[in-house]
Amino acid sequence: MNKKTEMISMIQMIGEPIIAILIVIGAVLSVLSAFGIIRFPDVYLRAHAATKSATLGVLCVLLGGFLFFWVFDGYPSMRILLGIVFVFITAPVAGHLNARAAYRTGVPLWKLAKDELKPALKKKGIDREKAEKEPLN
């Protein structure tokens, strides 16, 4: 065996458990996110579960796939890299916009001691109390 072949086999030997761990972590985070989406009491907490842990879970799985193609096939997959960038940018923004739309349309909060956003919305002319009394659906 020449030095290049030995080096490639050593990288594959080291990379295999790392890839497996990343994919298992991603799967576990995705399952925890699914439980959070089902079990959490209101839309805001569900949005939190859907964006934070699901995004990290998907990123771990995609990173494992990216490393797999790079280590075992010898080329980095630009499609997976673009998927990682796209998920990393869009999922938190989508979760934020969903929660914002729910808040502004009067979806009730689960437990709230103090609503710090209400005075700021009143300054802008958005009445959350009216939206809570007259929901859209």
Side-chain angles (χ1 to χ4, degrees):
M1 254 198 232
N2 63 14
K3 279 192 163 196
K4 187 176 180 183
T5 308
E6 286 179 18
M7 182 76 116
I8 289 173
S9 69
M10 192 159 95
I11 289 173
Q12 288 177 347
M13 192 173 71
I14 294 171
E16 190 174 316
I18 293 171
I19 292 167
I21 289 170
L22 277 173
I23 290 176
V24 168
I25 288 172
V28 168
L29 286 172
S30 296
V31 168
L32 290 175
S33 175
F35 282 127
I37 291 170
I38 293 170
R39 297 288 300 171
F40 281 157
D42 70 352
V43 69
Y44 306 103
L45 295 173
R46 289 180 186 149
H48 179 78
T51 56
K52 304 280 184 190
S53 59
T55 302
L56 188 59
V58 169
L59 289 178
C60 284
V61 170
L62 287 176
L63 185 61
F66 178 78
L67 289 176
F68 175 81
F69 284 115
W70 197 4
V71 169
F72 289 100
D73 288 347
Y75 66 91
S77 174
M78 289 301 127
R79 289 180 182 168
I80 293 178
L81 191 62
L82 283 174
I84 290 171
V85 171
F86 184 74
V87 168
F88 190 70
I89 292 172
T90 58
V93 172
H96 172 76
L97 291 178
N98 283 335
R100 181 179 174 185
Y103 182 81
R104 287 184 175 211
T105 55
V107 175
L109 299 159
W110 179 51
K111 287 183 180 177
L112 185 64
K114 181 180 178 185
D115 190 0
E116 295 176 353
L117 193 56
K118 192 181 286 185
L121 286 178
K122 273 198 173 182
K123 282 183 183 176
K124 289 185 174 184
I126 299 169
D127 190 9
R128 178 161 163 74
E129 292 172 358
K130 181 181 174 188
E132 284 178 356
K133 291 176 187 169
E134 301 169 8
L136 292 177
N137 52 4

